[in-house]
């Protein structure tokens, strides 16, 4: 089974800090995604990547950037954390359209 | 643009009974995939069932089955013989082709509680 590992389960950061959320997969999947999950809004796509050094904006990219230097690692960066970025962040990987996504267990980020 | 709507924020059911979660979607694509994901309190998202739009037969996975109504753009999930372990948030999701290739669009989620 594909394993998707997010480095932190809970994270508390201060407003204005630069925050890195790390995601690592142990299979050779090209597609990786970052979502944020908020009550009543479901999951919303922030950024995704189809290959190394390749990235595309999702639906809500403002205030975020990403990095994919190696195929197995996809990092989400909050350039200057704000309280409205307090949320659950989920990383996912995908083999192909038919099989859907495999998710990490999420990072609950609180910005104070 | 593609959208997914789950109109039931919360539902509850007694153990061993059957419950149906509703989902409607919209897309202009003809080739798409629909999914139901389960997120228990552990937060790990788990794929429950998938449906390919070009297949008329409704997908079934053990106690989980879907009612896929393509013309009505409806994709409901039926859970039979509900168990306490089914307590979770359930998300309906759509993967359409075209310019949104690869992107999963999620509904708002339905919290299901199974009571003993």
């Amino acid at each position: 089974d594909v394993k998707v590992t997010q480095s932190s389960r809970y994270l508390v950061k201060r407003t204005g800090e630069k925050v890195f959320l790390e995601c690592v997969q142990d299979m050779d999947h090209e597609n990786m995604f970052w979502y944020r999950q908020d009550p009543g809004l479901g999951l919303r796509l922030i950024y995704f990547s189809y290959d190394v050094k390749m990235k595309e904006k999702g639906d809500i990219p403002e205030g975020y950037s990403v990095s994919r230097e190696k195929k197995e690692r996809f990092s989400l960066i909050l350039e200057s954390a704000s309280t409205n970025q307090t949320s659950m962040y989920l990383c996912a990987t995908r083999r192909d359209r038919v099989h859907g996504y495999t998710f990490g267990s999420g990072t609950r980020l609180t910005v104070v | 643009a593609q959208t997914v709507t789950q109109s039931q924020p919360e539902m509850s059911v007694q153990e061993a009974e059957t419950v149906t979660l509703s989902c409607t979607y919209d897309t202009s694509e003809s080739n798409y995939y629909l999914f139901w994901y389960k997120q228990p309190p552990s937060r790990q998202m788990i794929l429950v069932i998938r449906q390919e739009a070009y297949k008329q037969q409704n997908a079934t996975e053990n106690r989980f089955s879907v009612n896929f109504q393509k013309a009505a753009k409806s994709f409901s999930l039926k859970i039979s013989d509900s168990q306490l372990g089914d307590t979770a948030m359930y998300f309906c999701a759509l993967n359409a082709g075209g310019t949104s290739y690869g992107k999963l669009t999620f509904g708002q989620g339905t919290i299901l509680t199974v009571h003993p």
Side-chain angles (χ1 to χ4, degrees):
Chain A
D1 284 348
V2 177
K3 192 171 182 180
V4 180
T5 302
Q6 293 185 233
S7 55
S8 303
R9 191 163 174 83
Y10 297 95
L11 212 52
V12 179
K13 295 292 182 180
R14 294 193 181 277
T15 301
E17 275 193 77
K18 190 169 186 176
V19 181
F20 293 85
L21 303 183
E22 306 288 344
C23 176
V24 178
Q25 55 147 326
D26 66 356
M27 292 291 286
D28 196 31
H29 288 188
E30 293 182 344
N31 305 314
M32 297 188 75
F33 305 81
W34 275 105
Y35 282 83
R36 66 176 279 176
Q37 180 181 354
D38 300 288
L41 297 178
L43 279 72
R44 293 178 293 165
L45 182 63
I46 304 171
Y47 266 97
F48 59 102
S49 170
Y50 287 147
D51 204 349
V52 176
K53 296 190 185 296
M54 177 274 176
K55 60 186 179 184
E56 287 201 27
K57 294 180 180 179
D59 298 320
I60 52 165
E62 297 77 19
Y64 303 94
S65 63
V66 290
S67 171
R68 194 164 180 201
E69 296 296 319
K70 294 183 178 181
K71 196 170 190 175
E72 68 270 18
R73 186 182 296 270
F74 190 36
S75 303
L76 180 68
I77 304 161
L78 285 65
E79 298 291 343
S80 177
S82 64
T83 54
N84 63 13
Q85 291 178 311
T86 291
S87 186
M88 170 80 79
Y89 290 88
L90 291 166
C91 175
T93 183
R94 189 192 72 155
R95 188 172 85 189
D96 52 48
R97 290 186 70 195
V98 175
H99 293 89
Y101 289 12
T102 299
F103 284 86
S105 55
T107 295
R108 188 173 295 281
L109 172 67
T110 302
V111 182
V112 298
Chain B
Q2 53 193 33
T3 60
V4 177
T5 302
Q6 294 177 249
S7 58
Q8 305 154 315
E10 295 186 43
M11 292 195 69
S12 64
V13 65
Q14 293 296 126
E15 199 173 6
E17 293 187 348
T18 296
V19 64
T20 299
L21 308 183
S22 300
C23 172
T24 58
Y25 63 93
D26 192 26
T27 179
S28 57
E29 300 295 330
S30 58
N31 180 23
Y32 53 89
Y33 295 83
L34 292 158
F35 304 87
W36 277 98
Y37 281 88
K38 168 185 176 181
Q39 187 182 43
S42 68
R43 296 177 358 199
Q44 184 65 55
M45 292 276 276
I46 303 164
L47 178 63
V48 175
I49 198 165
R50 68 172 69 90
Q51 175 78 43
E52 299 169 46
Y54 62 87
K55 287 188 176 179
Q56 293 186 338
Q57 187 173 3
N58 289 325
T60 299
E61 289 286 343
N62 301 314
R63 297 183 295 107
F64 298 88
S65 61
V66 299
N67 183 5
F68 175 46
Q69 301 288 328
K70 192 171 183 178
K73 294 184 177 176
S74 170
F75 183 61
S76 60
L77 175 69
K78 185 172 83 171
I79 306 174
S80 304
D81 186 25
S82 296
Q83 300 175 0
L84 297 178
D86 295 333
T87 292
M89 174 87 84
Y90 287 81
F91 290 98
C92 178
L94 165 68
N95 182 323
T99 58
S100 62
Y101 182 84
K103 170 186 168 181
L104 262 185
T105 299
F106 287 84
Q108 302 89 333
T110 298
I111 299 173
L112 175 68
T113 303
V114 180
H115 296 286

